[in-house]
Amino acid sequence: MDTDVTETAMFSTQGSAQGSGQTSSSTPRAVVVMGVAGSGKTTVAALLAGRLGASFAEGDDFHSPANVAKMAAGHPLDDDDRWPWLRGIRDWFAKELNEGRSAVVPCSALRRGYRELLATAGPPGTVRFVHLTGSYDLLRTRIQGRAGHFMKPEMLDSQLATLEPLHDDEAGFAVDVTPRPDEIVDEILHRLGDPEATPAPTTPEDH
């Protein structure tokens, strides 16, 4: 285990709320929608938060200006860049959980050590990880189609090289990103076992 993770094993309750989830009568939980660039983390996480009535925060908003500038220049982040970012997300999760709110954040969470740090936001099993997966061609095409985002298509290779998929002993599961976002969220809710989630809104294609 990373020494940084060991040193931060006790979770903090500091951090500023960036969403306003409803307080649930059930035990609050945190969900990290993880994966490499282009997997649709933000879209899926925002829909999931809405269906759960949970707080939502954009993981990229926890990056420092220096991190954003580095990625915008096409340079991958290293661990010295990532640890403060991950601590910020962990602390926001802890605050939401301590105040009785479930929370959802899209965050790459590429390495097991990063996920171990995020998991310290609450008691064991409170933080769940949903890994969005897709083919290389699909992911790269999506990145190329995004306008104004700091993530460059060339950085996908670096993220895939860094990625450590979820292990069997981690609290999470993988979901394919080929279906529509609402269908992906349906599968996530089914696998989370959440019967109280708000149904997805119907569209003309559903009739």
Side-chain angles (χ1 to χ4, degrees):
M1 181 184 296
D2 271 281
T3 56
D4 201 2
V5 174
T6 303
E7 291 169 357
T8 56
M10 294 184 64
F11 65 86
S12 167
T13 59
Q14 298 177 349
S16 58
Q18 301 184 12
S20 54
Q22 302 171 355
T23 300
S24 171
S25 59
S26 59
T27 302
R29 63 183 165 191
V31 180
V32 178
V33 179
M34 60 169 283
V36 298
S39 58
K41 297 186 294 295
T42 297
T43 298
V44 170
L47 288 173
L48 179 63
R51 297 278 297 277
L52 289 172
S55 297
F56 172 84
E58 169 55 68
D60 286 342
D61 291 345
F62 292 88
H63 276 299
S64 67
N67 280 5
V68 173
K70 187 173 183 177
M71 289 184 285
H75 303 301
L77 301 180
D78 57 30
D79 280 353
D80 288 339
D81 304 314
R82 289 192 178 105
W83 288 123
W85 167 60
L86 292 164
R87 290 191 198 103
I89 296 173
R90 184 272 314 273
D91 292 349
W92 181 80
F93 267 146
K95 181 179 185 298
E96 294 300 297
L97 293 171
N98 287 345
E99 294 179 358
R101 293 186 291 268
S102 291
V104 180
V105 170
C107 170
S108 53
L110 299 176
R111 288 181 173 163
R112 178 171 181 143
Y114 306 161
R115 298 190 291 271
E116 289 176 341
L117 173 59
L118 293 172
T120 64
T126 304
V127 180
R128 303 289 298 277
F129 296 91
V130 178
H131 182 193
L132 302 185
T133 64
S135 70
Y136 179 85
D137 288 342
L138 174 62
L139 297 171
R140 188 173 179 86
T141 298
R142 287 183 173 184
I143 297 172
Q144 291 172 330
R146 295 192 300 192
H149 196 274
F150 56 76
M151 182 66 70
K152 303 300 182 184
E154 295 74 20
M155 295 180 65
L156 175 60
D157 293 337
S158 172
Q159 287 201 334
L160 289 170
T162 302
L163 175 64
E164 297 174 2
L166 289 168
H167 294 215
D168 290 342
D169 61 341
E170 292 186 84
F173 50 86
V175 176
D176 179 69
V177 298
T178 304
R180 298 181 327 201
D182 60 310
E183 294 173 332
I184 295 171
V185 172
D186 284 342
E187 179 178 351
I188 293 171
L189 289 170
H190 173 72
R191 297 183 69 176
L192 286 174
D194 199 314
E196 299 180 0
T198 303
T202 58
T203 63
E205 298 104 28
D206 295 326
H207 298 290

